[in-house]
Amino acid sequence: KTGTATARADYGAGYKENGLNNASFVGMFPASKPKYLIGVMIAEPNPSMARMGGAVAAPVMKDMGDFLVNYDLRSAEPLPQ
């Protein structure tokens, strides 16, 4: 699930007026029998680049997922059935 939210003001209530946001992505895998849940939140990504959760945070989650799958495949323990 992706998310994009306006960044909170540093002091007090309200939101930043400079248009900065926070991008997030939460996913679980493998889809058929979830074993891992990963949540990624990028605070105030560079506004000159992609700022949405799917464009900023999802690739980080993918890299983390790839690492975990490769770690599982190399471990001495068989994957759970």
Side-chain angles (χ1 to χ4, degrees):
K1 176 68 183 148
T2 63
T4 305
T6 304
R8 182 182 68 80
D10 292 326
Y11 301 100
Y15 300 97
K16 291 190 174 181
E17 296 179 13
N18 57 6
L20 293 177
N21 67 328
N22 297 318
S24 62
F25 186 91
V26 175
M28 57 186 172
F29 65 95
S32 59
K33 216 172 195 181
K35 179 177 178 181
Y36 299 105
L37 174 70
I38 296 176
V40 177
M41 200 271 301
I42 309 293
E44 301 177 9
N46 186 338
S48 67
M49 304 182 81
R51 304 174 346 146
M52 308 301 272
V56 177
V60 176
M61 187 273 187
K62 182 201 177 297
D63 290 346
M64 293 172 71
D66 289 346
F67 173 83
L68 286 171
V69 167
N70 288 329
Y71 179 81
D72 256 356
L73 293 175
R74 288 182 286 149
S75 71
E77 299 278 326
L79 292 173
Q81 300 298 319

